[in-house]
Amino acid sequence: MNHHPTSSKIGHCIVCGRSFPLSKLHRAAGLRPHLYELIAEEVKDCAPDSLICDEDLARFRRRYVENLLEEERGELSSLDQKVLDSFEKGTLTVQTSTAGEGDRKSSFGERVADKVASFGGSWTFILSFIAILVIWMGVNVIGVFATPFDPYPFILLNLVLSCLAALQAPVIMMSQKRQEEKDRLRAENDYMINLRAELEIRQLHEKIDHQMAKQWERLAELQQIQIELLEKRDDARKG
Ligand SMILES: [Zn+2]
């Protein structure tokens, strides 16, 4: 074969059958036991000394994490799926701010409701309201006009106040509903960030385990080479 000297060390991926340089391949024995089991389930002739390429390993890792999630939570929700997809692509689809989205969706009426509700819950409103009541009663009791427009039991004032109360309740409810919507979005966002962090940590665990197993393997190999060298030297001495 017409290969570069270093590419003489090639192996075949047990899953897809393509050949790769050995540096691109992973020994099945170096993987996590659970991951190995998962691969062995699909690939019948998978043995501890089989080799697997990066691409297939990443695919099995993803499935492994997926299985873990499913085991823990039962059905995968669409939110989990979204996080998994973004996880695989290596992108961050989670929005860092939901405030912008909330504002974009709100209609004119909803924004007015927010303004009215926030004014209704301020000291400015309470004080000006008391002032209006006092002026209304004062004008009718003292008799600024020839005939007071709303004499003593202030029936008209009563009607106005009832109307005001009746209107205020739905406005406050509207505003509360919007606040709840915002909170829900924020909670969803937090959940996605947490789930992503969890997956990220799992992946790290996986990588560290893999790395450690690989290191042990290399160490054992080194030792083997040293022993062989020593034996050779002894043989040379004797010979
Ligand atoms: Zn492969």
Side-chain angles (χ1 to χ4, degrees):
M1 275 204 249
N2 188 18
H3 275 308
H4 193 264
T6 52
S7 65
S8 61
K9 279 187 168 180
I10 57 166
H12 297 280
C13 170
I14 189 81
V15 183
C16 59
R18 288 178 294 174
S19 40
F20 293 93
L22 281 181
S23 59
K24 285 266 172 77
L25 291 162
H26 306 272
R27 270 172 52 100
L31 302 174
R32 261 187 179 210
H34 293 290
L35 196 59
Y36 175 67
E37 274 166 34
L38 191 72
I39 296 170
E41 254 174 49
E42 184 165 312
V43 186
K44 288 286 167 262
D45 48 354
C46 184
D49 58 346
S50 303
L51 298 165
I52 182 167
C53 70
D54 280 335
E55 207 178 297
D56 287 319
L57 188 60
R59 197 160 54 81
F60 276 109
R61 278 219 177 105
R62 181 184 195 248
R63 200 175 306 163
Y64 172 64
V65 172
E66 234 171 37
N67 287 354
L68 273 178
L69 275 179
E70 254 174 70
E71 254 171 50
E72 246 172 55
R73 286 181 241 273
E75 277 283 283
L76 275 182
S77 74
S78 62
L79 226 69
D80 296 348
Q81 198 58 52
K82 219 165 146 188
V83 171
L84 264 175
D85 289 344
S86 82
F87 186 65
E88 191 180 25
K89 283 184 212 136
T91 54
L92 194 73
T93 55
V94 177
Q95 284 145 352
T96 46
S97 160
T98 51
E101 197 181 345
D103 284 350
R104 187 173 53 71
K105 273 188 199 157
S106 66
S107 68
F108 174 72
E110 285 169 334
R111 267 176 286 137
V112 169
D114 276 357
K115 288 260 167 62
V116 171
S118 82
F119 174 67
S122 68
W123 274 109
T124 322
F125 173 73
I126 294 170
L127 292 177
S128 51
F129 197 67
I130 289 172
I132 287 168
L133 286 186
V134 168
I135 290 167
W136 184 302
M137 291 176 189
V139 162
N140 286 292
V141 169
I142 294 164
V144 177
F145 307 111
T147 47
F149 63 92
D150 187 23
Y152 168 62
F154 313 119
I155 293 163
L156 182 60
L157 180 62
N158 211 341
L159 180 72
V160 169
L161 290 182
S162 307
C163 286
L164 197 70
L167 282 175
Q168 215 172 14
V171 166
I172 289 169
M173 279 197 279
M174 232 192 281
S175 176
Q176 264 178 354
K177 226 168 58 189
R178 292 220 328 119
Q179 195 57 48
E180 263 166 38
E181 178 70 14
K182 273 186 199 164
D183 288 348
R184 194 182 57 76
L185 279 175
R186 199 169 300 139
E188 230 167 58
N189 208 35
D190 285 352
Y191 170 72
M192 272 160 79
I193 289 170
N194 282 334
L195 186 61
R196 211 189 134 88
E198 189 189 325
L199 292 185
E200 213 71 77
I201 289 167
R202 274 186 203 273
Q203 178 105 338
L204 272 178
H205 266 296
E206 178 84 37
K207 271 184 185 162
I208 289 171
D209 285 358
H210 182 66
Q211 210 62 34
M212 270 165 72
K214 232 181 174 177
Q215 251 169 14
W216 273 113
E217 230 172 79
R218 222 170 280 159
L219 213 65
E221 213 178 294
L222 256 168
Q223 220 165 13
Q224 196 62 43
I225 291 168
Q226 278 176 334
I227 289 168
E228 278 168 18
L229 281 175
L230 280 172
E231 278 173 356
K232 236 185 225 169
R233 206 189 57 175
D234 279 359
D235 287 350
R237 261 192 197 165
K238 277 176 197 162

